[in-house]
Amino acid sequence: MRGRRGYARPLEGADRITARAEADELLIEAAKVVRSTDPYLAGHFPEVTLYPAIFLLDGIRQAVGAELHRSPALAAHLGPDSPDSTDSTEGTEGEWLELGSLDSARVLRPMLEGDELRLLIRVSAGRPGALRAALDCRRGDGEQVARMTVELVRGGTS
């Protein structure tokens, strides 16, 4: 099968996103409030709302994809989109990126109901056709809860 795969968006990775291009990097700040009413958390842990760290990966992917247009050099580093692909992300904004690799991940504290998470993401060029994204995730009180480094690639082709 050629072209983009159809994916259901499992969650909203961020409630709001701001970004700026700086030299050869893209600096992104995204915010996400942990809410027990979010459908993807229902039944995740009985008695406590705990935000799964794996969801931070999708937050990185979504935020970088949404803001990549701010850095044409980084978008060009990914290479062209497949010319014969069909866009199954119609109605969404930004680039469809996928996780190429998880280079490092460390979760330092739980992310609980009511926590406002600040995802500070520094994006730079990686190997040809890939971007490197370094995440520093903090609660609203400034306490670091997680850090990750990932490689993102243009997604959806088979």
Side-chain angles (χ1 to χ4, degrees), residues 89-109:
T89 60
E90 191 173 318
T92 63
E93 294 182 22
E95 295 281 340
W96 182 265
L97 301 177
E98 290 184 358
L99 183 67
S101 68
L102 173 61
D103 299 327
S104 68
R106 182 157 179 128
V107 178
L108 306 165
R109 300 194 178 17

mmCIF file of all heavy atoms in Angstrom, residues 89-109:
data_model
loop_
_atom_site.group_PDB
_atom_site.id
_atom_site.type_symbol
_atom_site.label_atom_id
_atom_site.label_comp_id
_atom_site.label_asym_id
_atom_site.label_seq_id
_atom_site.Cartn_x
_atom_site.Cartn_y
_atom_site.Cartn_z
ATOM 1 N N THR A 89 -4.769 13.343 6.770
ATOM 2 C CA THR A 89 -4.849 14.206 7.948
ATOM 3 C C THR A 89 -5.665 15.448 7.613
ATOM 4 O O THR A 89 -5.543 16.463 8.253
ATOM 5 C CB THR A 89 -3.439 14.611 8.436
ATOM 6 O OG1 THR A 89 -2.784 15.311 7.381
ATOM 7 C CG2 THR A 89 -2.640 13.402 8.861
ATOM 8 N N GLU A 90 -6.492 15.346 6.580
ATOM 9 C CA GLU A 90 -7.317 16.467 6.167
ATOM 10 C C GLU A 90 -8.116 16.974 7.358
ATOM 11 O O GLU A 90 -8.682 16.217 8.127
ATOM 12 C CB GLU A 90 -8.269 16.021 5.054
ATOM 13 C CG GLU A 90 -8.964 17.173 4.380
ATOM 14 C CD GLU A 90 -9.751 16.704 3.182
ATOM 15 O OE1 GLU A 90 -9.258 15.867 2.420
ATOM 16 O OE2 GLU A 90 -10.882 17.183 3.029
ATOM 17 N N GLY A 91 -8.115 18.298 7.513
ATOM 18 C CA GLY A 91 -8.830 18.888 8.636
ATOM 19 C C GLY A 91 -7.917 19.116 9.828
ATOM 20 O O GLY A 91 -8.301 19.764 10.781
ATOM 21 N N THR A 92 -6.682 18.614 9.794
ATOM 22 C CA THR A 92 -5.739 18.904 10.857
ATOM 23 C C THR A 92 -4.699 19.843 10.300
ATOM 24 O O THR A 92 -4.532 19.980 9.099
ATOM 25 C CB THR A 92 -5.070 17.620 11.383
ATOM 26 O OG1 THR A 92 -4.316 17.053 10.324
ATOM 27 C CG2 THR A 92 -6.082 16.625 11.890
ATOM 28 N N GLU A 93 -3.962 20.512 11.189
ATOM 29 C CA GLU A 93 -2.951 21.449 10.743
ATOM 30 C C GLU A 93 -1.574 20.859 10.931
ATOM 31 O O GLU A 93 -1.341 20.080 11.831
ATOM 32 C CB GLU A 93 -3.073 22.747 11.541
ATOM 33 C CG GLU A 93 -4.351 23.481 11.266
ATOM 34 C CD GLU A 93 -4.436 24.783 12.027
ATOM 35 O OE1 GLU A 93 -3.388 25.316 12.424
ATOM 36 O OE2 GLU A 93 -5.543 25.249 12.217
ATOM 37 N N GLY A 94 -0.641 21.282 10.071
ATOM 38 C CA GLY A 94 0.740 20.920 10.265
ATOM 39 C C GLY A 94 1.150 19.638 9.580
ATOM 40 O O GLY A 94 0.405 19.030 8.835
ATOM 41 N N GLU A 95 2.402 19.272 9.858
ATOM 42 C CA GLU A 95 3.010 18.081 9.286
ATOM 43 C C GLU A 95 2.632 16.842 10.090
ATOM 44 O O GLU A 95 2.533 16.910 11.317
ATOM 45 C CB GLU A 95 4.537 18.220 9.332
ATOM 46 C CG GLU A 95 5.089 19.333 8.483
ATOM 47 C CD GLU A 95 5.175 18.958 7.024
ATOM 48 O OE1 GLU A 95 5.176 17.753 6.703
ATOM 49 O OE2 GLU A 95 5.248 19.873 6.206
ATOM 50 N N TRP A 96 2.470 15.716 9.407
ATOM 51 C CA TRP A 96 2.249 14.450 10.103
ATOM 52 C C TRP A 96 3.625 13.835 10.320
ATOM 53 O O TRP A 96 4.285 13.405 9.380
ATOM 54 C CB TRP A 96 1.359 13.512 9.293
ATOM 55 C CG TRP A 96 1.115 12.254 10.057
ATOM 56 C CD1 TRP A 96 1.817 11.085 9.936
ATOM 57 C CD2 TRP A 96 0.176 12.036 11.085
ATOM 58 N NE1 TRP A 96 1.350 10.153 10.827
ATOM 59 C CE2 TRP A 96 0.335 10.718 11.555
ATOM 60 C CE3 TRP A 96 -0.803 12.826 11.680
ATOM 61 C CZ2 TRP A 96 -0.434 10.173 12.561
ATOM 62 C CZ3 TRP A 96 -1.569 12.286 12.685
ATOM 63 C CH2 TRP A 96 -1.387 10.980 13.117
ATOM 64 N N LEU A 97 4.063 13.824 11.563
ATOM 65 C CA LEU A 97 5.358 13.256 11.912
ATOM 66 C C LEU A 97 5.161 11.988 12.715
ATOM 67 O O LEU A 97 4.141 11.825 13.384
ATOM 68 C CB LEU A 97 6.181 14.256 12.735
ATOM 69 C CG LEU A 97 6.466 15.593 12.067
ATOM 70 C CD1 LEU A 97 7.218 16.509 13.016
ATOM 71 C CD2 LEU A 97 7.243 15.403 10.774
ATOM 72 N N GLU A 98 6.143 11.109 12.643
ATOM 73 C CA GLU A 98 6.119 9.881 13.432
ATOM 74 C C GLU A 98 7.405 9.774 14.226
ATOM 75 O O GLU A 98 8.428 10.370 13.868
ATOM 76 C CB GLU A 98 5.961 8.660 12.523
ATOM 77 C CG GLU A 98 4.588 8.563 11.906
ATOM 78 C CD GLU A 98 4.394 7.299 11.086
ATOM 79 O OE1 GLU A 98 5.337 6.504 10.957
ATOM 80 O OE2 GLU A 98 3.284 7.129 10.566
ATOM 81 N N LEU A 99 7.347 8.999 15.268
ATOM 82 C CA LEU A 99 8.511 8.736 16.088
ATOM 83 C C LEU A 99 9.446 7.809 15.322
ATOM 84 O O LEU A 99 9.064 6.703 14.952
ATOM 85 C CB LEU A 99 8.066 8.080 17.400
ATOM 86 C CG LEU A 99 9.146 7.800 18.422
ATOM 87 C CD1 LEU A 99 9.719 9.101 18.956
ATOM 88 C CD2 LEU A 99 8.561 6.983 19.564
ATOM 89 N N GLY A 100 10.664 8.288 15.043
ATOM 90 C CA GLY A 100 11.655 7.445 14.394
ATOM 91 C C GLY A 100 12.393 6.610 15.420
ATOM 92 O O GLY A 100 12.623 5.427 15.229
ATOM 93 N N SER A 101 12.740 7.251 16.543
ATOM 94 C CA SER A 101 13.387 6.528 17.638
ATOM 95 C C SER A 101 13.218 7.309 18.930
ATOM 96 O O SER A 101 13.055 8.525 18.919
ATOM 97 C CB SER A 101 14.877 6.290 17.351
ATOM 98 O OG SER A 101 15.587 7.514 17.372
ATOM 99 N N LEU A 102 13.262 6.574 20.017
ATOM 100 C CA LEU A 102 13.281 7.158 21.357
ATOM 101 C C LEU A 102 14.706 6.972 21.845
ATOM 102 O O LEU A 102 15.133 5.862 22.134
ATOM 103 C CB LEU A 102 12.277 6.451 22.272
ATOM 104 C CG LEU A 102 12.299 6.843 23.742
ATOM 105 C CD1 LEU A 102 11.996 8.319 23.931
ATOM 106 C CD2 LEU A 102 11.292 5.992 24.520
ATOM 107 N N ASP A 103 15.458 8.063 21.889
ATOM 108 C CA ASP A 103 16.873 7.973 22.227
ATOM 109 C C ASP A 103 17.101 7.941 23.733
ATOM 110 O O ASP A 103 18.016 7.276 24.203
ATOM 111 C CB ASP A 103 17.640 9.125 21.587
ATOM 112 C CG ASP A 103 17.525 9.085 20.063
ATOM 113 O OD1 ASP A 103 17.447 7.980 19.497
ATOM 114 O OD2 ASP A 103 17.505 10.163 19.447
ATOM 115 N N SER A 104 16.283 8.681 24.475
ATOM 116 C CA SER A 104 16.376 8.645 25.941
ATOM 117 C C SER A 104 15.053 9.105 26.528
ATOM 118 O O SER A 104 14.345 9.907 25.936
ATOM 119 C CB SER A 104 17.526 9.531 26.446
ATOM 120 O OG SER A 104 17.247 10.893 26.208
ATOM 121 N N ALA A 105 14.746 8.571 27.694
ATOM 122 C CA ALA A 105 13.520 8.969 28.398
ATOM 123 C C ALA A 105 13.731 8.765 29.892
ATOM 124 O O ALA A 105 14.241 7.736 30.311
ATOM 125 C CB ALA A 105 12.322 8.154 27.926
ATOM 126 N N ARG A 106 13.326 9.757 30.643
ATOM 127 C CA ARG A 106 13.408 9.642 32.094
ATOM 128 C C ARG A 106 12.194 10.358 32.683
ATOM 129 O O ARG A 106 11.986 11.540 32.433
ATOM 130 C CB ARG A 106 14.692 10.258 32.608
ATOM 131 C CG ARG A 106 14.811 10.106 34.095
ATOM 132 C CD ARG A 106 16.234 10.193 34.519
ATOM 133 N NE ARG A 106 16.234 10.057 35.954
ATOM 134 C CZ ARG A 106 16.970 9.206 36.610
ATOM 135 N NH1 ARG A 106 17.777 8.423 35.962
ATOM 136 N NH2 ARG A 106 16.933 9.150 37.907
ATOM 137 N N VAL A 107 11.417 9.620 33.457
ATOM 138 C CA VAL A 107 10.267 10.193 34.163
ATOM 139 C C VAL A 107 10.675 10.325 35.620
ATOM 140 O O VAL A 107 11.061 9.342 36.253
ATOM 141 C CB VAL A 107 9.015 9.306 34.002
ATOM 142 C CG1 VAL A 107 7.852 9.897 34.780
ATOM 143 C CG2 VAL A 107 8.664 9.154 32.529
ATOM 144 N N LEU A 108 10.600 11.544 36.129
ATOM 145 C CA LEU A 108 11.113 11.842 37.461
ATOM 146 C C LEU A 108 10.032 11.928 38.523
ATOM 147 O O LEU A 108 10.302 11.673 39.698
ATOM 148 C CB LEU A 108 11.893 13.157 37.421
ATOM 149 C CG LEU A 108 13.003 13.194 36.359
ATOM 150 C CD1 LEU A 108 13.476 14.611 36.132
ATOM 151 C CD2 LEU A 108 14.138 12.287 36.766
ATOM 152 N N ARG A 109 8.813 12.308 38.116
ATOM 153 C CA ARG A 109 7.718 12.482 39.062
ATOM 154 C C ARG A 109 6.402 12.137 38.381
ATOM 155 O O ARG A 109 6.274 12.267 37.167
ATOM 156 C CB ARG A 109 7.643 13.920 39.540
ATOM 157 C CG ARG A 109 8.946 14.315 40.233
ATOM 158 C CD ARG A 109 8.884 15.549 41.010
ATOM 159 N NE ARG A 109 10.067 15.956 41.713
ATOM 160 C CZ ARG A 109 11.318 15.572 41.567
ATOM 161 N NH1 ARG A 109 11.623 14.677 40.704
ATOM 162 N NH2 ARG A 109 12.308 16.067 42.274
#
